[in-house]
Amino acid sequence: MAQKNNTQNKGQVKDVKYYSKKFWKLFFYGLGGLFLFFLFASWGLFGKMPSFEDLENPDSNLATEIISSDGVTLGKFYNENRTAIKYKDLPKSLVDALVSTEDERFYEHSGIDAKRTFGAALRLGQNGGASTITQQLAKNLFHGEGSKFLPFRMIQKAKEWIIAIRLERQYTKQEIIALYLNQVDFVNGAVGIRSASKVYFSKEPRDLNVEESALLVGMLTNPSRFNPNRFPERALKRRNIVLGQLVRNKHIEESARKILEKKPIKLDFHPESHLDGTATYFREYLRDYMKNWVKENKKKPDGEEYDIYGDGLKIYTTIDSKIQEHAEEAVLAHMKNLQEEFWNQQKGNKNAPFVNITDAETDKIIKQAMKNSERWRILKADEKTDEEIIASFSKKTKMTVFTWKGERDTVMTPLDSIRYYKHFLQAGLMSMEPQSGQVKAWVGGIDYKYFQYDHVGQGARQVGSTFKPFVYATAIEQLGMSPCDTIIDGPFIIRKGRHHVTEDWEPRNSDQKYRGMVTLKKALANSINTISAKLIDKTGPEAVVDLTKKLGVTTEIPVQPAIALGAVDITVHDMVAAYSTFANQGVYIKPQFISRIEDKNGAIIYEPVPESHDVLNKDVAFAVIKLLEGVTEGGSGERLRTEGGGSGDNRWTGYPYMFKNPIAGKTGTTQNQSDGWFIGMVPNLVTGVWVGCEDRSARFKSITYGQGATAALPIWGYFMEKCYEDKDLQISKDEFERPDNFSIKVDCWTPPKVSVATDSTDTEEQNTDEFGL
């Protein structure tokens, strides 16, 4: 019996040793296998791993920021609306909320929280995962969402751990927090904490309070589920959980939590879009410019072209956000007012908004608009025939249309919508500092979402009498004339064969009146057509065209005497630059809209050099300025100074302006008052305004409202009032600088004024109906 028990004990000892040996063998094999698994993963055998350079410069897909001269972000170009910020720009409440909620031992571990990982493994992940902030960052940066297939998921988790450890070696804890918050998608087009702060609260991250920080951190678990804009109650509960975590980790007191929990969610929700915001037309012009810039300019260190949508560039522009804001306000205020008058005048017009054109001409305009539409492009891409596409334009459909009272849902045919949109008056405004060439404001239309044609940089329109100063400048320079020289306003003919005229040309004043002997200053102030024609006859049209080209005008100008009355198409951009030459003592400076471009690390990669050249000597340029001052002292721009009103003054938005300071300017009105212009100058700001419909045949029936003095000048007056009220802008009210030893006579005798009233019958702009073309 004793022998049997002994044998049994020996067998048991042998079994223990056997299984113990087996266990340790399996343990070390497993440990070795695990070691090899992680080693192979780190070598990239299970898929590419990020290199040292990748970790140093992660592909963050950063938005390009467009920044104003006064430091305001005007907009962005992006695939993802993400703008990186540094840890120092994060509020303490946000960092505390993040660590307390997502990774309480963040400052204690080196990328992996072993305690949390072990606990999650025992619970089989039923109470949430164990990913640290660093692991989440590793996932976001380098492989995104994990696979649902378990073996692949295990491989991805291993890679995530390895990357997390490497990130901890590469970056400080503060840098990891900043990197993480710059990567997170908060939905509604907000990627990264800065975009989220802007979209949900319209503020910078540093200005977030505790409850706002808690709300954004609460979204991290599931941004769509806890979206405060769509699910406010759900987001509120989640926010309060984060506040509880702040108490648990001793960042706020329990009493503070109770107060904060009772506060409702207060959003200032402004999702960012390329179609909305400030300086939309300018931003689109800049985008087109940048597409060419990346092809022609400095490459990245790896030789690749810069990507304006993902490389996190910072484009510092010359636009002043306050001047831009005043310009947009002025355009919107006046155009809304003037549009009311346009609707009134179109009542009873069976072919509205077109005036005095045939059915065939109308059909041509409408068909061209159809072919230019997005609907036509889409249906053509679907291989529909022209007949099928045209038929679709007559079928009623639901649509949202632009109105001056806000967007409106309606039902109409696409054909009717074309005619509806043809009614809207458009506008273009550009403001520039003449001494530097820096563009300070750019408004290309009334609403970029609905009208995307840019009437500053794209749209060349007939300029009317705003062209006349170029004729006068040529006469002063070549003929030695002065603003006080006199010339007879009377009937005048340029005979066939002279100056390339193919038949006799007899320009007439639109009021059919002649004033006899007048000074050049009075002639330009009242925009007398016959005087301009006589001057170009003396100088020859070639000399005027040459000067205009030197002034930076890029459009083709016919070498014909009729250009003296403004039968020329020029952009607002070019006209402002040309006039700026007079304010800059005869030196032309090409308009500049970029001051510098930086890469995502802040290194300057582009800094343009201003382009300039001499055009006129200082004396001639100043003489033209004095001529143009006459326009606002007693001519078609006089309403900038009066308060007596006049015909149609209910549409002089912002009137009376009552400016007392020197202003040089010129109104312009084209044939059938299809275009209204005003270009006004003070010593340090030149601003040009154009107003008209998209089609020249859509117009006011009378000159009272269609002339530049009513259509365009009020925008300038309203805009300058706002600029002068804003003392920080320092817009000049001084005299224009008079050159030393100036010898041209510019101070002409004028009879005393009898009345300060400004009736439009006295100061109507001469239009170009009498071209004789």
Side-chain angles (χ1 to χ4, degrees), residues 734-763:
D734 298 334
E735 298 273 353
F736 286 88
E737 185 179 351
R738 193 183 187 101
D740 295 334
N741 303 315
F742 181 72
S743 59
I744 300 175
K745 186 178 180 181
V746 292
D747 300 313
C748 316
W749 178 85
T750 54
K753 291 184 180 180
V754 177
S755 171
V756 295
T758 301
D759 192 289
S760 65
T761 56
D762 294 328
T763 58

mmCIF file of all heavy atoms in Angstrom, residues 734-763:
data_model
loop_
_atom_site.group_PDB
_atom_site.id
_atom_site.type_symbol
_atom_site.label_atom_id
_atom_site.label_comp_id
_atom_site.label_asym_id
_atom_site.label_seq_id
_atom_site.Cartn_x
_atom_site.Cartn_y
_atom_site.Cartn_z
ATOM 1 N N ASP A 734 -7.090 115.097 -46.237
ATOM 2 C CA ASP A 734 -6.168 116.174 -46.581
ATOM 3 C C ASP A 734 -6.272 116.549 -48.056
ATOM 4 O O ASP A 734 -6.894 115.859 -48.866
ATOM 5 C CB ASP A 734 -4.726 115.754 -46.267
ATOM 6 C CG ASP A 734 -4.518 115.476 -44.785
ATOM 7 O OD1 ASP A 734 -5.268 116.050 -43.974
ATOM 8 O OD2 ASP A 734 -3.625 114.671 -44.456
ATOM 9 N N GLU A 735 -5.589 117.653 -48.392
ATOM 10 C CA GLU A 735 -5.426 118.035 -49.791
ATOM 11 C C GLU A 735 -4.487 117.047 -50.481
ATOM 12 O O GLU A 735 -3.612 116.457 -49.845
ATOM 13 C CB GLU A 735 -4.803 119.440 -49.874
ATOM 14 C CG GLU A 735 -5.635 120.547 -49.261
ATOM 15 C CD GLU A 735 -6.639 121.123 -50.235
ATOM 16 O OE1 GLU A 735 -6.590 120.750 -51.435
ATOM 17 O OE2 GLU A 735 -7.469 121.946 -49.803
ATOM 18 N N PHE A 736 -4.666 116.881 -51.784
ATOM 19 C CA PHE A 736 -3.692 116.107 -52.558
ATOM 20 C C PHE A 736 -2.372 116.876 -52.569
ATOM 21 O O PHE A 736 -2.355 118.114 -52.611
ATOM 22 C CB PHE A 736 -4.189 115.890 -53.991
ATOM 23 C CG PHE A 736 -5.301 114.885 -54.093
ATOM 24 C CD1 PHE A 736 -6.628 115.284 -53.945
ATOM 25 C CD2 PHE A 736 -5.031 113.550 -54.347
ATOM 26 C CE1 PHE A 736 -7.660 114.369 -54.044
ATOM 27 C CE2 PHE A 736 -6.064 112.626 -54.441
ATOM 28 C CZ PHE A 736 -7.379 113.023 -54.287
ATOM 29 N N GLU A 737 -1.264 116.150 -52.540
ATOM 30 C CA GLU A 737 0.051 116.784 -52.457
ATOM 31 C C GLU A 737 0.355 117.574 -53.727
ATOM 32 O O GLU A 737 0.318 117.031 -54.835
ATOM 33 C CB GLU A 737 1.135 115.726 -52.233
ATOM 34 C CG GLU A 737 2.519 116.317 -52.019
ATOM 35 C CD GLU A 737 3.577 115.258 -51.767
ATOM 36 O OE1 GLU A 737 3.214 114.083 -51.583
ATOM 37 O OE2 GLU A 737 4.778 115.618 -51.771
ATOM 38 N N ARG A 738 0.654 118.841 -53.563
ATOM 39 C CA ARG A 738 0.981 119.716 -54.685
ATOM 40 C C ARG A 738 2.481 119.622 -54.964
ATOM 41 O O ARG A 738 3.290 119.795 -54.046
ATOM 42 C CB ARG A 738 0.595 121.155 -54.340
ATOM 43 C CG ARG A 738 0.592 122.133 -55.511
ATOM 44 C CD ARG A 738 0.254 123.531 -55.016
ATOM 45 N NE ARG A 738 0.071 124.479 -56.105
ATOM 46 C CZ ARG A 738 -1.117 124.874 -56.553
ATOM 47 N NH1 ARG A 738 -2.222 124.410 -55.984
ATOM 48 N NH2 ARG A 738 -1.213 125.743 -57.542
ATOM 49 N N PRO A 739 2.889 119.351 -56.193
ATOM 50 C CA PRO A 739 4.331 119.231 -56.501
ATOM 51 C C PRO A 739 5.074 120.544 -56.254
ATOM 52 O O PRO A 739 4.499 121.635 -56.372
ATOM 53 C CB PRO A 739 4.348 118.867 -57.994
ATOM 54 C CG PRO A 739 2.983 118.350 -58.302
ATOM 55 C CD PRO A 739 2.052 119.083 -57.384
ATOM 56 N N ASP A 740 6.323 120.435 -55.913
ATOM 57 C CA ASP A 740 7.163 121.624 -55.760
ATOM 58 C C ASP A 740 7.294 122.329 -57.104
ATOM 59 O O ASP A 740 7.375 121.684 -58.156
ATOM 60 C CB ASP A 740 8.557 121.232 -55.254
ATOM 61 C CG ASP A 740 8.514 120.650 -53.843
ATOM 62 O OD1 ASP A 740 7.566 120.983 -53.100
ATOM 63 O OD2 ASP A 740 9.411 119.853 -53.503
ATOM 64 N N ASN A 741 7.312 123.677 -57.058
ATOM 65 C CA ASN A 741 7.489 124.501 -58.264
ATOM 66 C C ASN A 741 6.433 124.205 -59.325
ATOM 67 O O ASN A 741 6.688 124.254 -60.528
ATOM 68 C CB ASN A 741 8.887 124.287 -58.855
ATOM 69 C CG ASN A 741 9.978 124.584 -57.855
ATOM 70 O OD1 ASN A 741 9.930 125.594 -57.145
ATOM 71 N ND2 ASN A 741 10.970 123.693 -57.770
ATOM 72 N N PHE A 742 5.228 123.885 -58.873
ATOM 73 C CA PHE A 742 4.127 123.580 -59.791
ATOM 74 C C PHE A 742 3.744 124.835 -60.567
ATOM 75 O O PHE A 742 3.559 125.906 -59.984
ATOM 76 C CB PHE A 742 2.930 123.056 -58.993
ATOM 77 C CG PHE A 742 1.748 122.685 -59.835
ATOM 78 C CD1 PHE A 742 1.773 121.540 -60.626
ATOM 79 C CD2 PHE A 742 0.596 123.469 -59.839
ATOM 80 C CE1 PHE A 742 0.685 121.193 -61.402
ATOM 81 C CE2 PHE A 742 -0.490 123.135 -60.605
ATOM 82 C CZ PHE A 742 -0.454 121.990 -61.396
ATOM 83 N N SER A 743 3.633 124.728 -61.893
ATOM 84 C CA SER A 743 3.434 125.930 -62.723
ATOM 85 C C SER A 743 2.156 125.916 -63.557
ATOM 86 O O SER A 743 1.809 126.925 -64.170
ATOM 87 C CB SER A 743 4.636 126.106 -63.662
ATOM 88 O OG SER A 743 4.776 124.959 -64.495
ATOM 89 N N ILE A 744 1.445 124.794 -63.629
ATOM 90 C CA ILE A 744 0.226 124.723 -64.448
ATOM 91 C C ILE A 744 -0.911 125.414 -63.695
ATOM 92 O O ILE A 744 -1.123 125.180 -62.506
ATOM 93 C CB ILE A 744 -0.150 123.263 -64.758
ATOM 94 C CG1 ILE A 744 0.974 122.569 -65.523
ATOM 95 C CG2 ILE A 744 -1.444 123.189 -65.553
ATOM 96 C CD1 ILE A 744 0.741 121.086 -65.773
ATOM 97 N N LYS A 745 -1.664 126.259 -64.401
ATOM 98 C CA LYS A 745 -2.759 126.976 -63.770
ATOM 99 C C LYS A 745 -3.929 126.018 -63.533
ATOM 100 O O LYS A 745 -4.455 125.415 -64.460
ATOM 101 C CB LYS A 745 -3.211 128.145 -64.643
ATOM 102 C CG LYS A 745 -4.271 129.017 -63.965
ATOM 103 C CD LYS A 745 -4.663 130.194 -64.831
ATOM 104 C CE LYS A 745 -5.712 131.044 -64.114
ATOM 105 N NZ LYS A 745 -6.148 132.193 -64.934
ATOM 106 N N VAL A 746 -4.312 125.881 -62.269
ATOM 107 C CA VAL A 746 -5.407 124.961 -61.948
ATOM 108 C C VAL A 746 -6.511 125.640 -61.135
ATOM 109 O O VAL A 746 -7.614 125.100 -61.028
ATOM 110 C CB VAL A 746 -4.879 123.735 -61.148
ATOM 111 C CG1 VAL A 746 -3.990 122.861 -62.008
ATOM 112 C CG2 VAL A 746 -4.164 124.160 -59.875
ATOM 113 N N ASP A 747 -6.226 126.795 -60.571
ATOM 114 C CA ASP A 747 -7.229 127.478 -59.752
ATOM 115 C C ASP A 747 -7.972 128.479 -60.619
ATOM 116 O O ASP A 747 -7.573 129.635 -60.757
ATOM 117 C CB ASP A 747 -6.559 128.173 -58.557
ATOM 118 C CG ASP A 747 -5.833 127.176 -57.667
ATOM 119 O OD1 ASP A 747 -6.435 126.128 -57.352
ATOM 120 O OD2 ASP A 747 -4.662 127.432 -57.300
ATOM 121 N N CYS A 748 -9.051 128.024 -61.209
ATOM 122 C CA CYS A 748 -9.801 128.840 -62.178
ATOM 123 C C CYS A 748 -10.875 129.666 -61.464
ATOM 124 O O CYS A 748 -11.447 129.236 -60.461
ATOM 125 C CB CYS A 748 -10.475 127.940 -63.215
ATOM 126 S SG CYS A 748 -9.403 126.624 -63.847
ATOM 127 N N TRP A 749 -11.162 130.825 -62.055
ATOM 128 C CA TRP A 749 -12.237 131.655 -61.506
ATOM 129 C C TRP A 749 -13.579 131.020 -61.833
ATOM 130 O O TRP A 749 -13.825 130.530 -62.928
ATOM 131 C CB TRP A 749 -12.179 133.058 -62.103
ATOM 132 C CG TRP A 749 -13.308 133.938 -61.590
ATOM 133 C CD1 TRP A 749 -13.306 134.662 -60.442
ATOM 134 C CD2 TRP A 749 -14.585 134.140 -62.211
ATOM 135 N NE1 TRP A 749 -14.495 135.328 -60.293
ATOM 136 C CE2 TRP A 749 -15.309 135.027 -61.365
ATOM 137 C CE3 TRP A 749 -15.180 133.687 -63.377
ATOM 138 C CZ2 TRP A 749 -16.595 135.446 -61.649
ATOM 139 C CZ3 TRP A 749 -16.477 134.099 -63.659
ATOM 140 C CH2 TRP A 749 -17.179 134.980 -62.813
ATOM 141 N N THR A 750 -14.442 130.984 -60.837
ATOM 142 C CA THR A 750 -15.800 130.484 -61.071
ATOM 143 C C THR A 750 -16.786 131.471 -60.479
ATOM 144 O O THR A 750 -16.524 132.075 -59.429
ATOM 145 C CB THR A 750 -16.026 129.115 -60.400
ATOM 146 O OG1 THR A 750 -15.684 129.204 -59.009
ATOM 147 C CG2 THR A 750 -15.185 128.036 -61.054
ATOM 148 N N PRO A 751 -17.928 131.691 -61.138
ATOM 149 C CA PRO A 751 -18.938 132.610 -60.600
ATOM 150 C C PRO A 751 -19.507 132.057 -59.297
ATOM 151 O O PRO A 751 -19.541 130.844 -59.099
ATOM 152 C CB PRO A 751 -20.000 132.661 -61.694
ATOM 153 C CG PRO A 751 -19.840 131.385 -62.453
ATOM 154 C CD PRO A 751 -18.384 131.071 -62.394
ATOM 155 N N PRO A 752 -19.929 132.932 -58.390
ATOM 156 C CA PRO A 752 -20.494 132.457 -57.112
ATOM 157 C C PRO A 752 -21.762 131.652 -57.333
ATOM 158 O O PRO A 752 -22.537 131.918 -58.253
ATOM 159 C CB PRO A 752 -20.784 133.751 -56.345
ATOM 160 C CG PRO A 752 -20.894 134.802 -57.393
ATOM 161 C CD PRO A 752 -19.955 134.402 -58.490
ATOM 162 N N LYS A 753 -21.972 130.629 -56.460
ATOM 163 C CA LYS A 753 -23.154 129.772 -56.587
ATOM 164 C C LYS A 753 -24.372 130.485 -56.028
ATOM 165 O O LYS A 753 -24.311 131.171 -55.017
ATOM 166 C CB LYS A 753 -22.932 128.465 -55.822
ATOM 167 C CG LYS A 753 -21.880 127.572 -56.462
ATOM 168 C CD LYS A 753 -21.793 126.267 -55.709
ATOM 169 C CE LYS A 753 -20.732 125.369 -56.340
ATOM 170 N NZ LYS A 753 -20.620 124.084 -55.609
ATOM 171 N N VAL A 754 -25.484 130.303 -56.702
ATOM 172 C CA VAL A 754 -26.741 130.913 -56.271
ATOM 173 C C VAL A 754 -27.476 129.996 -55.309
ATOM 174 O O VAL A 754 -28.087 130.429 -54.352
ATOM 175 C CB VAL A 754 -27.632 131.236 -57.491
ATOM 176 C CG1 VAL A 754 -28.974 131.805 -57.039
ATOM 177 C CG2 VAL A 754 -26.922 132.199 -58.434
ATOM 178 N N SER A 755 -27.405 128.700 -55.546
ATOM 179 C CA SER A 755 -28.133 127.737 -54.722
ATOM 180 C C SER A 755 -27.294 126.494 -54.511
ATOM 181 O O SER A 755 -26.482 126.136 -55.355
ATOM 182 C CB SER A 755 -29.455 127.363 -55.406
ATOM 183 O OG SER A 755 -30.075 126.290 -54.744
ATOM 184 N N VAL A 756 -27.521 125.817 -53.400
ATOM 185 C CA VAL A 756 -26.796 124.579 -53.118
ATOM 186 C C VAL A 756 -27.596 123.352 -53.528
ATOM 187 O O VAL A 756 -27.168 122.234 -53.350
ATOM 188 C CB VAL A 756 -26.443 124.464 -51.613
ATOM 189 C CG1 VAL A 756 -25.483 125.532 -51.222
ATOM 190 C CG2 VAL A 756 -27.701 124.501 -50.746
ATOM 191 N N ALA A 757 -28.796 123.570 -54.038
ATOM 192 C CA ALA A 757 -29.628 122.427 -54.453
ATOM 193 C C ALA A 757 -28.973 121.697 -55.605
ATOM 194 O O ALA A 757 -28.284 122.273 -56.421
ATOM 195 C CB ALA A 757 -31.016 122.913 -54.858
ATOM 196 N N THR A 758 -29.241 120.415 -55.639
ATOM 197 C CA THR A 758 -28.649 119.583 -56.690
ATOM 198 C C THR A 758 -29.752 118.880 -57.444
ATOM 199 O O THR A 758 -30.078 117.739 -57.181
ATOM 200 C CB THR A 758 -27.688 118.542 -56.086
ATOM 201 O OG1 THR A 758 -26.683 119.244 -55.393
ATOM 202 C CG2 THR A 758 -27.053 117.685 -57.140
ATOM 203 N N ASP A 759 -30.409 119.580 -58.314
ATOM 204 C CA ASP A 759 -31.435 118.949 -59.135
ATOM 205 C C ASP A 759 -30.781 118.233 -60.294
ATOM 206 O O ASP A 759 -29.915 118.770 -60.959
ATOM 207 C CB ASP A 759 -32.409 120.005 -59.677
ATOM 208 C CG ASP A 759 -33.644 119.354 -60.274
ATOM 209 O OD1 ASP A 759 -33.491 118.748 -61.348
ATOM 210 O OD2 ASP A 759 -34.715 119.423 -59.650
ATOM 211 N N SER A 760 -31.208 117.011 -60.528
ATOM 212 C CA SER A 760 -30.534 116.189 -61.529
ATOM 213 C C SER A 760 -30.667 116.751 -62.935
ATOM 214 O O SER A 760 -29.923 116.373 -63.821
ATOM 215 C CB SER A 760 -31.085 114.759 -61.494
ATOM 216 O OG SER A 760 -32.442 114.749 -61.883
ATOM 217 N N THR A 761 -31.614 117.686 -63.154
ATOM 218 C CA THR A 761 -31.708 118.262 -64.497
ATOM 219 C C THR A 761 -30.525 119.164 -64.798
ATOM 220 O O THR A 761 -30.184 119.397 -65.946
ATOM 221 C CB THR A 761 -33.016 119.086 -64.627
ATOM 222 O OG1 THR A 761 -33.028 120.079 -63.602
ATOM 223 C CG2 THR A 761 -34.239 118.188 -64.465
ATOM 224 N N ASP A 762 -29.857 119.662 -63.729
ATOM 225 C CA ASP A 762 -28.703 120.541 -63.929
ATOM 226 C C ASP A 762 -27.400 119.759 -64.028
ATOM 227 O O ASP A 762 -26.449 120.204 -64.645
ATOM 228 C CB ASP A 762 -28.602 121.559 -62.785
ATOM 229 C CG ASP A 762 -29.774 122.521 -62.782
ATOM 230 O OD1 ASP A 762 -30.292 122.822 -63.882
ATOM 231 O OD2 ASP A 762 -30.162 122.936 -61.683
ATOM 232 N N THR A 763 -27.359 118.629 -63.351
ATOM 233 C CA THR A 763 -26.078 117.951 -63.235
ATOM 234 C C THR A 763 -26.104 116.538 -63.804
ATOM 235 O O THR A 763 -25.323 115.696 -63.419
ATOM 236 C CB THR A 763 -25.659 117.880 -61.758
ATOM 237 O OG1 THR A 763 -26.685 117.185 -61.026
ATOM 238 C CG2 THR A 763 -25.455 119.254 -61.180
#
